[in-house]
Amino acid sequence: MFRILEKRFALSEKGAKSLVKGIFFTILLNLSLMLPAVYMFSFLDSYLRKAFDSSVSISDGIWYYILLGLGFMMIMFVLAILHYRNAYTIVYEESANRRISLAEKLRRLPLAYFGEKNLSDLTSTIMEDATALEEIFSHAVPQLFASIISIVLISIGMFIFNWKLALALFWVVPLAGGLILFSKKFQQKENIALYNIKREVSEQVQEGLETVQEIKSYNQEDRYLKDLNKIIDGYENQLIKGELKIGALVNTCQSLLKLGLASVIIVGANLILSGNIDTFTYLIFLLISSRVYGPINDVFNHLAALLYLDVRINRINEMEAMPIQEGKTTFETDNYDIEFKNVDFSYEEDKSVIKNVSFTARQGEITALVGPSGGGKSTTAKLAARFWDIDSGKILLGGYDIGEIDPETLLENYSVVFQDVVLFNSSIMDNIRIGKSGARDEEVIQAAKLAQCDEFACKMPYGYDTIIGENGETLSGGERQRISIARALLKDAPIVLLDEATASLDVENETKIQTAISELVRDKTVLIIAHRMRTVAKADKIVVLKEGKLVEEGTHDKLIDENGVYANMWNIQQESFGWSL
């Protein structure tokens, strides 16, 4: 049973057990809500029956009923506390664990997954979907199951008490429940439509935040706001339409239940006239009947909420079902040569990006990846660090297949400097220390000086403790790039990946950082990507990629002599130095 609940509601094993406990205590609370009716039945049976039959004596005094009432109140109070702890507090703990589980899952997913999903979509799943599950599981799911079980137990008791009156009361329940279940596909369709348009709103807002500079630069504010308002209006209309339809459906079912009470009145009156029941029994049954529809109404309301929950559960299950990158958590090797053997890779099926690529980047050498834009240089460098898993072939590190090494273990051996630098809204010191957790301030500052960060850091209001804003918004492109290089210097890993590491630097700073990079790459395995030919001319090996294929390989002089793709790129760039405006 627990396995079924785990799969159906995207719960952990502990969460499934907690849900069962929550349902159990909710059942007890629902049944305790019948205690006032039982109390009234007992009291009226003693005092009101005497009004219909003078020969009946009152067996229990008023103090008995006062104590009985207090006892019932105490039972309801204790059950309410137990219900809250097991149906709410535990659900919130499960919600926290779910968020942690999703974050852990994201941490172990291949980067290909993030290429297929945008930021607003992932944020929606982690925050909004998890919050919706928390709310519905605390306020609907236990109550739904508990209400169904409570109704069954109460109906059994009422059928035993008087099956004719019970039949008159409950004949509408299958009719109303069938209407809800019959409309399941319709409700799911409305829920999916609502959810999708809500995601569009989030994506549009996210896009506006990320591209605000471009929107303002090209005077597109009015167009952007017009498109945003159109999407929001669509969301509002869909929300109103969906809630109106589903609300009308639920209210219709609840109205049908009222026919059951009318049936009890009619059937009960006929039974009194025929002498099958007495007036007192009839009145008591009406009193209990007025309470029994509460749990049924709850079922209808919660069932509609549960159908809406399905959309969010499916998204979380989709993420949980994604294959993660796994492997050995320990790795030792005598060398750090990187060898590509007939590697094929594609971001999408049947759209190859890397095609049968084979080469070796040796330790102690600089291997440069060059070629026309879109040739697969950056992809090749990322594959070397297992940012993605290849389609076929092998990538070896020191003779070991990196596909069999856990990504986190593998990346302990890599220092990476990409063109797109990511910084955090923290201090310069903390942003550099990401390269080596727990590094002393002296180590951080030493790496910063090698990367020429000391020059601008010392001019900041608080020096290295200055907060640089979201993604380093207070820094220039070159300053951000130097912080990224400082991270790599601090990490001092045996393998270095440099993807346009000096692209954002002016000539003066590029010259300074080349000295730091020379220190960084000493005696290490280096893969470097650069469009400036003079940056790679002194590389020990140059690998030329074009349209995902390795077309040339060798030293600068060798490739110039071959007069191929590399020589053509070199000649074009040399000619460009003489251009003027």
Side-chain angles (χ1 to χ4, degrees), residues 151-306:
I151 291 166
V152 171
L153 295 176
I154 293 170
S155 63
I156 290 173
M158 296 186 76
F159 269 96
I160 293 173
F161 183 72
N162 189 297
W163 71 269
K164 293 180 180 179
L165 287 175
L167 185 62
L169 181 66
F170 287 109
W171 71 271
V172 291
V173 175
L175 182 64
L179 182 60
I180 288 283
L181 294 176
F182 181 75
S183 64
K184 179 179 179 180
K185 288 186 177 180
F186 157 75
Q187 291 190 60
Q188 288 179 328
K189 182 179 178 181
E190 290 292 324
N191 290 335
I192 292 172
L194 175 63
Y195 191 82
N196 287 337
I197 196 169
K198 190 173 184 178
R199 279 176 54 194
E200 286 184 26
V201 174
S202 299
E203 290 170 5
Q204 186 77 357
V205 172
Q206 182 73 34
E207 183 182 82
L209 294 173
E210 291 178 347
T211 61
V212 62
Q213 181 173 310
E214 286 73 15
I215 291 173
K216 287 183 174 293
S217 298
Y218 293 96
N219 297 321
Q220 295 296 310
E221 295 98 325
D222 291 340
R223 180 179 177 181
Y224 170 75
L225 291 175
K226 182 180 179 181
D227 292 341
L228 179 61
N229 287 332
K230 183 178 179 180
I231 293 175
I232 292 175
D233 289 341
Y235 170 64
E236 182 181 1
N237 292 333
Q238 182 65 38
L239 186 64
I240 293 172
K241 183 176 70 173
E243 289 192 355
L244 181 63
K245 290 180 179 179
I246 294 175
L249 179 67
V250 172
N251 286 329
T252 298
C253 293
Q254 292 175 344
S255 298
L256 283 174
L257 294 179
K258 306 301 181 183
L259 295 177
L261 192 57
S263 300
V264 170
I265 295 172
I266 295 172
V267 171
N270 287 329
L271 290 175
I272 289 175
L273 292 175
S274 62
N276 289 320
I277 61 172
D278 56 28
T279 304
F280 176 77
T281 302
Y282 176 51
L283 292 175
I284 293 300
F285 201 96
L286 284 178
L287 178 64
I288 296 175
S289 299
S290 65
R291 301 282 300 173
V292 79
Y293 286 129
I296 298 175
N297 285 329
D298 287 342
V299 168
F300 294 152
N301 287 323
H302 296 149
L303 193 59
L306 189 61

Side-chain angles (χ1 to χ4, degrees), residues 14-26:
K14 181 181 178 181
K17 293 178 180 178
S18 298
L19 177 60
V20 173
K21 287 178 65 178
I23 292 171
F24 173 73
F25 283 105
T26 306

Side-chain angles (χ1 to χ4, degrees), residues 49-161:
R49 188 179 290 275
K50 184 174 178 61
F52 293 95
D53 187 356
S54 58
S55 64
V56 175
S57 61
I58 299 175
S59 58
D60 300 305
I62 191 67
W63 283 106
Y64 167 80
Y65 288 103
I66 291 175
L67 294 175
L68 182 64
L70 291 173
F72 282 174
M73 289 174 62
M74 183 59 67
I75 291 172
M76 293 174 68
F77 176 75
V78 171
L79 289 176
I81 293 176
L82 293 173
H83 167 259
Y84 184 86
R85 289 178 177 173
N86 289 277
Y88 292 92
T89 304
I90 293 179
V91 167
Y92 299 146
E93 292 175 0
E94 172 67 11
S95 180
N97 292 334
R98 181 184 291 112
R99 285 187 170 91
I100 294 172
S101 175
L102 286 173
E104 180 67 15
K105 183 71 177 184
L106 288 173
R107 186 176 66 84
R108 301 186 65 81
L109 285 174
L111 285 181
Y113 179 82
F114 300 95
E116 297 166 359
K117 301 287 185 180
N118 59 41
L119 180 60
S120 63
D121 192 24
L122 293 174
T123 302
S124 177
T125 298
I126 295 172
M127 301 303 296
E128 188 178 337
D129 291 350
T131 300
L133 260 65
E134 175 185 297
E135 182 178 348
I136 293 176
F137 271 98
S138 61
H139 291 80
V141 176
Q143 288 80 350
L144 171 65
F145 287 100
S147 295
I148 292 173
I149 296 171
S150 301
I151 291 166
V152 171
L153 295 176
I154 293 170
S155 63
I156 290 173
M158 296 186 76
F159 269 96
I160 293 173
F161 183 72

Side-chain angles (χ1 to χ4, degrees), residues 554-579:
T555 63
H556 168 78
D557 293 337
K558 176 177 178 290
L559 294 178
I560 290 295
D561 291 341
E562 290 180 358
N563 198 29
V565 175
Y566 177 82
N568 183 54
M569 293 176 65
W570 173 266
N571 292 331
I572 291 174
Q573 195 161 101
Q574 294 303 307
E575 290 175 8
S576 70
F577 293 147
W579 295 349

